[in-house]
């Protein structure tokens, strides 16, 4: 007497926390986050985080710098990965630039005030 | 430049603004540094409209009912509605989260038919009644033609329904969607009722709403309740800190934990801060009321208003480390994004590495 169907899965077993290792629940992983940070005075810093792998951050940074006439760097963050930092509030310009390059607008999330 | 407002190059251009939350799918790219528009859209700054759920014909009716009916008077009415209790300081006294009454000027083309329809069913109701019989006769006269070809539906719109309908007729003439269905007709009068062809969804939908509103006239009028919260009171503490004085009141109004709101604000603004003894929020950095307001609006659209029915009457509960928002009025339940602080660049001296 061996019914394989029945002993394969115990529906009442304690599964533990179903969301225990689900990192991407409610995560914002697929978004490109564009943030702004205040510096001293009326200076600001724009950060771009979550660029998809297929884009070369270095080249993008170069294009940004040329297009927006601002300086910027590439920062490696252990959590966020490569982050592009630009001087000044370039959020709308970044968004416009990326959309023009064919990145869907829905994946770009602009934060800040 | 101690009291000089920062991050706002366009401050001079600031016009007397009516701060009304309106669920506006258009007008996306709200640049936060530009003067905040008269109507703040329900979009994130990235321009993607926050999905507040589909716009129903009912909503269209409501919005256009308010928008078109009142026409010129709208502004005043708005002011009354918004500032009825706060006559002294008219400007920027309330932030109404306007759920029903959307900026009719920016309405999408699809709302156009509803607009005309709305005129029929709300303010022109009485006049319409008189013209209705006439219209019915005309309809019968046209019945054969309609059966012959659907293309003649356009003719329905041009049926002279009586002199009182002239306004409507004019609008229908411009209306790109006029052919989509006999929108200007009341229930029971639709010419397609007697025809053999399959009814389109639009026609049936309009018929449904026409009958609904005919049976319950209160639906259109009672919908004008707005969700208002007091505007954030922003003070400057010293040179580098901003005090958000009435955050407790606002949180109470939104039925949200202040911690959640504060967490969101700090994550969004990329800063830190603390709550002082009297419950005020001290934010590092210089922020203007407009900017705080903008962040609050985004908080409301993301964490307060129900995405399905747009009601602000929601509860936020945490289960399994995930926040769920359940709507009190429509019963929908959905998870909301966790608040996540992103990458924080190094600003200021590295020695006092507090803000990260």
């Amino acid at each position: 007497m061996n019914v394989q169907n029945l002993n394969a899965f115990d529906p009442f077993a304690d599964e533990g926390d179903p969301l225990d290792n689900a990192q991407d629940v409610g995560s914002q992983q697929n978004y490109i986050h564009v943030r702004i940070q205040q510096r001293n005075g009326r200076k600001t810093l724009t950060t771009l985080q979550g660029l998809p792998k297929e884009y070369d951050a270095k080249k993008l940074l170069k294009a940004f710098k040329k297009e927006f006439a601002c300086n910027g760097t590439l920062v490696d963050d252990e959590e966020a990965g490569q982050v592009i930092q630009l001087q000044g509030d370039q959020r709308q310009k970044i968004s416009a630039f990326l959309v023009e390059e064919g990145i869907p607008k829905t994946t770009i999330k602009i934060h800040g005030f | 430049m101690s009291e000089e407002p920062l991050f706002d190059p366009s401050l001079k251009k600031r016009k007397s603004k009516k701060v009304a939350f309106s669920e506006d799918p258009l007008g996306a790219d709200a640049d936060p540094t530009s003067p905040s528009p008269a109507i703040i859209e329900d979009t994130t700054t990235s321009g993607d409209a926050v999905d507040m759920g589909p716009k129903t014909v009912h909503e269209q009716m409501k919005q256009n009912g308010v928008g078109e009916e009142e026409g010129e008077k709208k502004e005043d009415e708005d002011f009354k509605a918004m500032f009825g209790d706060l006559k002294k300081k008219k400007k920027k006294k309330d932030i109404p989260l306007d759920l029903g009454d959307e900026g009719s000027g920016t309405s999408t083309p699809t709302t156009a038919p509803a607009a005309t329809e709305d005129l029929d069913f709300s303010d022109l109701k009485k006049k319409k009644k008189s013209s209705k019989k006439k219209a019915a006769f005309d309809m019968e006269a046209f019945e054969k033609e309609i059966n012959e070809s659907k293309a003649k539906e356009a003719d329905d719109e041009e049926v002279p329904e009586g002199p009182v309908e002239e306004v409507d007729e004019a609008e229908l003439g411009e209306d790109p969607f006029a052919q989509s269905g006999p929108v200007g007709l009341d229930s029971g009068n639709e010419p397609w009722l007697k025809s053999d062809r399959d009814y389109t969804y639009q026609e049936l939908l309009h018929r449904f709403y026409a009958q609904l509103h005919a049976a319950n006239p209160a639906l259109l009028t009672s919908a004008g309740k707005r969700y208002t919260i007091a505007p954030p009171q922003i003070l400057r503490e010293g040179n580098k800190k901003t005090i958000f004085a009435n955050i407790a009141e606002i949180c109470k109004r939104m039925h949200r934990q202040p911690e959640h709101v504060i967490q969101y604000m700090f994550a969004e603004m990329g800063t830190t801060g603390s709550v002082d003894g009297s419950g005020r929020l001290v934010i590092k950095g210089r922020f203007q009321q407009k900017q705080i307001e903008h962040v609050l609006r985004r908080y409301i659209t993301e964490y307060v208003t129900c995405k399905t029915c747009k009601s602000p009457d929601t509860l936020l509960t945490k289960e399994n480390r995930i926040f769920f928002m359940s709507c009190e009025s429509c019963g929908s339940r959905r998870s909301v994004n966790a608040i996540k602080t992103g990458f924080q660049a190094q600003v200021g001296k590295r020695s006092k590495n507090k803000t990260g």
Side-chain angles (χ1 to χ4, degrees):
Chain A
M1 172 85 179
N2 187 7
V3 184
Q4 293 241 314
N5 258 349
L6 292 181
N7 58 17
F9 174 67
D10 177 11
F12 299 104
D14 189 11
E15 283 184 318
D17 191 352
L19 305 163
D20 213 12
N21 46 11
Q23 284 296 318
D24 54 345
V25 174
S27 86
Q28 312 164 351
Q29 271 177 349
N30 311 326
Y31 287 111
I32 300 175
H33 295 274
V34 183
R35 293 196 171 80
I36 189 166
Q37 245 180 303
Q38 282 196 358
R39 292 183 53 219
N40 40 2
R42 55 179 298 159
K43 292 174 183 170
T44 47
L45 200 65
T46 308
T47 60
L48 185 145
Q49 174 193 332
L51 192 69
K53 289 279 182 292
E54 59 261 34
Y55 295 93
D56 187 351
K58 216 171 162 184
K59 281 188 177 156
L60 193 64
L61 173 68
K62 203 155 198 176
F64 278 158
K65 284 163 72 169
K66 188 152 193 172
E67 178 84 12
F68 310 148
C70 66
N71 207 350
T73 66
L74 206 56
V75 177
D76 277 316
D77 189 71
E78 58 258 27
E79 275 173 44
Q82 282 196 314
V83 177
I84 294 180
Q85 272 185 28
L86 294 171
Q87 288 177 0
D89 182 3
Q90 316 286 356
R91 291 176 296 165
Q92 300 303 324
K93 292 186 206 162
I94 287 180
S95 169
F97 188 97
L98 293 181
V99 168
E100 205 158 285
E101 294 303 315
I103 294 177
K105 205 168 188 183
T106 46
T107 65
I108 304 172
K109 222 173 190 176
I110 297 187
H111 300 264
F113 31 81
Chain B
M1 45 192 221
S2 55
E3 287 307 306
E4 197 76 8
L6 298 178
F7 305 105
D8 191 14
S10 51
L11 202 75
K12 323 155 205 162
K13 289 192 270 179
R14 177 152 55 175
K15 38 192 171 182
S16 76
K17 60 175 178 179
K18 174 179 61 168
V19 258
F21 270 105
S22 80
E23 324 279 325
D24 191 348
L26 302 177
D29 299 72
D31 183 2
T33 55
S34 67
S36 64
I39 291 169
I40 294 197
E41 300 84 7
D42 220 2
T43 53
T44 60
T45 25
S46 58
D48 43 345
V50 172
D51 184 18
M52 302 300 288
K55 287 211 177 359
T56 63
V57 174
H58 180 67
E59 281 165 346
Q60 290 173 4
M61 281 184 162
K62 274 196 288 186
Q63 96 187 26
N64 289 296
V66 183
E68 314 251 334
E69 249 169 58
E70 292 168 5
E72 306 273 88
K73 281 190 284 177
K74 183 173 188 298
E75 286 255 26
D76 295 342
E77 302 269 326
D78 269 354
F79 265 92
K80 274 175 208 156
M82 282 159 62
F83 309 119
D85 47 341
L86 301 155
K87 287 248 166 74
K88 274 182 260 171
K89 296 181 183 175
K90 278 217 161 178
K91 272 155 206 173
K92 299 173 72 174
K93 204 47 200 168
D94 259 359
I95 314 173
L97 175 61
D98 189 352
L99 294 174
D101 170 18
E102 300 171 27
S104 54
T106 54
S107 59
T108 48
T110 46
T111 62
T116 56
E117 189 174 35
D118 207 40
L119 282 172
D120 291 346
F121 297 131
S122 45
D123 58 338
L124 289 179
K125 197 166 269 176
K126 283 161 208 155
K127 297 184 205 163
K128 177 90 198 220
K129 287 270 158 63
S130 59
S131 70
K132 207 144 284 169
K133 289 159 200 161
K134 213 173 177 183
F137 288 129
D138 285 327
M139 284 307 134
E140 274 164 5
F142 272 84
E143 193 81 346
K144 287 166 199 167
E145 284 182 42
I146 294 157
N147 285 337
E148 277 167 19
S149 80
K150 289 175 194 172
K152 293 272 170 87
E153 273 180 32
D155 292 354
D156 302 345
E157 307 300 336
E158 284 147 35
V159 168
E161 298 191 342
V164 275
E165 288 297 305
E166 269 171 3
V167 183
D168 274 9
E169 294 298 324
E171 282 192 35
L172 284 174
E174 297 169 0
D175 186 0
F177 283 74
Q179 278 102 339
S180 67
V183 282
L185 303 166
D186 206 344
S187 55
N189 274 351
E190 288 91 339
W192 46 266
L193 268 185
K194 289 169 196 153
S195 69
D196 278 341
R197 67 184 174 81
D198 289 339
Y199 309 138
T200 66
Y201 176 72
Q202 280 301 320
E203 286 167 343
L204 291 172
L205 189 67
H206 283 302
R207 181 176 152 81
F208 164 71
Y209 277 108
Q211 291 189 339
L212 177 74
H213 289 302
N216 309 299
L219 273 180
L220 280 177
T221 50
S222 70
K225 64 176 178 192
R226 290 152 159 271
Y227 182 60
T228 56
I229 51 174
Q233 283 167 10
I234 301 303
L235 315 165
R236 176 72 48 76
E237 182 179 87
N239 207 6
K240 291 190 171 169
K241 283 179 190 164
T242 309
I243 294 182
F244 183 176
N246 58 346
I247 186 162
E249 185 195 325
I250 289 179
C251 291
K252 212 169 167 186
R253 184 76 184 79
M254 297 191 296
H255 303 290
R256 288 292 173 276
Q257 293 296 316
E259 292 78 33
H260 191 254
V261 180
I262 291 169
Q263 196 190 355
Y264 177 82
M265 290 184 68
F266 286 164
E268 270 303 286
M269 303 193 292
T271 182
T272 54
S274 53
V275 181
D276 74 0
S278 46
R280 302 183 303 177
L281 179 67
V282 181
I283 310 168
K284 266 192 177 175
R286 282 182 270 196
F287 297 96
Q288 290 170 263
Q289 189 200 14
K290 195 175 72 184
Q291 297 170 322
I292 305 275
E293 206 178 283
H294 191 251
V295 175
L296 271 180
R297 268 157 213 268
R298 289 221 301 260
Y299 179 85
I300 289 170
T301 52
E302 194 156 353
Y303 294 103
V304 181
T305 50
C306 171
K307 297 277 196 293
T308 311
C309 68
K310 297 178 188 174
S311 152
D313 194 11
T314 56
L315 284 182
L316 198 65
T317 49
K318 196 175 193 179
E319 285 166 37
N320 285 330
R321 287 185 274 164
I322 294 172
F323 278 108
F324 284 93
M325 188 168 77
S326 46
C327 180
E328 295 280 84
S329 49
C330 74
S332 82
R333 205 173 109 90
R334 74 197 304 276
S335 66
V336 291
N337 282 337
I339 299 172
K340 217 171 167 186
T341 313
F343 170 73
Q344 291 281 304
Q346 172 79 47
V347 288
K349 285 181 192 161
R350 268 168 213 276
S351 56
K352 25 173 159 168
N353 194 354
K354 278 181 193 163
T355 53

